[in-house]
Amino acid sequence: MPAADRSSSAVALGSGPAVGFGWQPAPRWSFGASAAAPFYYFQDFGTLRYGAWAMYQLLEQDGFYMAGIAGLYGDIYFPDFNRYSPVGLQLGAALAYKLNKRLTLRLNIVPGVSLRLPPVGWVVFPPAGGAEIAWRMQDQLELSLGYNGNGDILGLSWIF
């Protein structure tokens, strides 16, 4: 899940199962992508969910962070490509609050909309959306507990 408070690049693994990365080429800007096979597809497990996003940090004040997020996402079920929308837009806000040096609360309010014709409708949790509490175990290692659009409940990030 994109993090409004993260000022560095990262590689992440999630329990969805999912893998993702974030890259920060300049201050306040970050870009990322993820791929997952979320458990919540149950009988269609193995559906590939992908996402790509850009994020711009708007505010950093007294441990509170706010950023805008925009990107693409989609779901691909290989036996039947028409079952889910292969392309959609995700657009919203990322919020973070540092409780202390090691604990951070994050909430990404990022709805998604399908671009498939006829439209399938809104998606509540595209890959960039979700909520989590993150524990920075070491300077370059973070463990998170929450839920995001990739189906991750647990996440592990290597920050560099």
Side-chain angles (χ1 to χ4, degrees):
M1 185 171 89
D5 61 301
R6 189 171 294 141
S7 60
S8 55
S9 301
V11 173
L13 297 174
S15 62
V19 63
F21 71 92
W23 173 58
Q24 185 181 32
R28 297 188 177 271
W29 279 102
S30 60
F31 301 90
S34 65
F39 69 88
Y40 52 73
Y41 282 106
F42 300 108
Q43 74 274 13
D44 293 341
F45 183 77
T47 298
L48 173 67
R49 170 165 269 200
Y50 72 89
W53 49 265
M55 182 169 61
Y56 181 75
Q57 188 183 69
L58 301 165
L59 177 70
E60 176 184 350
Q61 186 174 2
D62 298 327
F64 178 74
Y65 301 80
M66 183 172 64
I69 298 177
L72 298 173
Y73 75 98
D75 298 304
I76 301 169
Y77 182 58
F78 291 101
D80 181 5
F81 290 108
N82 293 318
R83 184 165 294 185
Y84 300 107
S85 177
V87 180
L89 295 175
Q90 52 186 349
L91 181 66
L95 307 171
Y97 182 71
K98 287 193 179 246
L99 297 171
N100 58 41
K101 183 180 176 183
R102 298 283 181 201
L103 288 175
T104 304
L105 295 173
R106 296 185 183 124
L107 175 64
N108 289 4
I109 305 166
V110 184
V113 64
S114 162
L115 295 181
R116 184 172 141 192
L117 295 174
V120 176
W122 289 93
V123 175
V124 177
F125 282 114
E132 68 184 12
I133 184 166
W135 173 44
R136 183 75 64 99
M137 301 180 314
Q138 299 175 353
D139 288 341
Q140 293 185 309
L141 200 58
E142 183 178 87
L143 183 67
S144 61
L145 174 66
Y147 185 75
N148 66 32
N150 283 332
D152 299 331
I153 295 170
L154 294 173
L156 181 66
S157 296
W158 177 55
I159 301 160
F160 54 95

